[in-house]
Amino acid sequence: MSQAEEEPAGEEPAPEGAARRGPTWVILAVVASALLVCCCSAVIGLAVAWSAGLLTAR
């Protein structure tokens, strides 16, 4: 039997890179959470500086 006879028509074999999709989403989630933490800490830092009067013109 050839490969064409073993597989039903219209179905393609899964690409070899499909097994690596899980780690890709994990990496993207880690990067997104790191950006969120950095942005939140910057906002908190600006709020503390503003409340301490460091951002007002003298």
Side-chain angles (χ1 to χ4, degrees), residues 39-50:
C39 291
C40 288
S41 64
V43 169
I44 292 170
L46 284 174
V48 169
W50 178 75

Side-chain angles (χ1 to χ4, degrees), residues 3-58:
Q3 180 137 1
E5 293 173 353
E6 293 175 3
E7 295 177 2
E11 289 186 17
E12 296 179 7
E16 293 179 9
R20 297 190 315 172
R21 286 186 186 162
T24 302
W25 287 112
V26 171
I27 291 170
L28 288 176
V30 168
V31 169
S33 62
L35 287 174
L36 182 66
V37 168
C38 290
C39 291
C40 288
S41 64
V43 169
I44 292 170
L46 284 174
V48 169
W50 178 75
S51 67
L54 298 175
L55 299 178
T56 57
R58 294 180 187 216

